[in-house]
Amino acid sequence: MMEDNNMGKVPGMEWSDSSSGASDDQQHDQQEQPVIHAPVPVRPRLPSRKSSGTMIVPRDSIEVGPVEMALGPDDVRAMSPRRTSQDLEMLSKEAREELQRHAKALQDSLLALFHRIEAVKEEHNKLDNNNKFLQKYIGDLMSTSKITAPTSRPKK
């Protein structure tokens, strides 16, 4: 079976078995065809600018300082949580009152603890004195009694 060598190939293209890779006809065809190059883009020129001058502004100039902006009620910047001096004064007064209430409660609880400690001390001293009295009483009874004397038991 013999296949057609030109089948499925681009017309005008021939295969060569030589190491040069192209036939003389192809080189001749390439030289006759005009070469098309893409145009090189050119950057547009910038318009000339004037110097912005010095950036130094005198201290007494009206251009120095914060700029007051008129903000509408729906503007997000107008809704910021900044507080006025009256708001800050009221908050500090409330905080001070809360701290005073807390300090008073702590003082009351400390006073209650102190009174409880004093009562426990009194109870302890009372019980300690009673214990000493009972120890002395039992000691006196033992010394006067014949219970402490050694007795011999008769054997049965």
Side-chain angles (χ1 to χ4, degrees):
M1 274 196 200
M2 204 131 163
E3 292 183 16
D4 187 12
N5 287 337
N6 290 334
M7 198 175 199
K9 295 184 180 179
V10 178
M13 296 284 289
E14 297 177 5
W15 290 93
S16 168
D17 289 336
S18 68
S19 63
S20 67
S23 67
D24 291 333
D25 291 335
Q26 286 178 346
Q27 289 176 358
H28 180 70
D29 287 342
Q30 288 176 356
Q31 289 174 357
E32 289 179 4
Q33 294 177 352
V35 178
I36 301 174
H37 293 287
V40 177
V42 178
R43 181 178 288 181
R45 297 185 59 85
L46 292 174
S48 63
R49 292 192 248 173
K50 294 181 181 177
S51 172
S52 60
T54 180
M55 298 300 288
I56 300 172
V57 180
R59 184 182 302 176
D60 301 333
S61 174
I62 60 171
E63 296 175 11
V64 176
V67 178
E68 294 294 327
M69 297 174 50
L71 303 174
D74 293 336
D75 193 348
V76 173
R77 293 172 291 176
M79 293 184 229
S80 69
R82 294 185 182 144
R83 293 181 166 82
T84 63
S85 60
Q86 292 90 6
D87 292 339
L88 291 175
E89 187 176 319
M90 185 175 20
L91 286 173
S92 66
K93 183 180 178 183
E94 290 173 0
R96 201 175 313 116
E97 289 173 355
E98 178 63 28
L99 282 174
Q100 287 174 349
R101 283 193 298 269
H102 188 66
K104 179 70 173 148
L106 288 174
Q107 286 175 347
D108 291 343
S109 67
L110 184 62
L111 188 60
L113 284 172
F114 177 74
H115 289 306
R116 177 73 179 133
I117 289 170
E118 287 297 317
V120 168
K121 274 185 181 179
E122 288 177 15
E123 183 74 21
H124 175 267
N125 289 337
K126 183 178 172 184
L127 291 173
D128 192 42
N129 288 337
N130 287 341
N131 191 18
K132 287 179 183 176
F133 173 77
L134 287 174
Q135 284 177 348
K136 185 177 185 261
Y137 179 73
I138 291 171
D140 289 344
L141 281 176
M142 297 284 270
S143 64
T144 58
S145 169
K146 294 183 180 177
I147 298 174
T148 57
T151 58
S152 57
R153 289 184 161 187
K155 293 184 178 182
K156 294 184 181 180

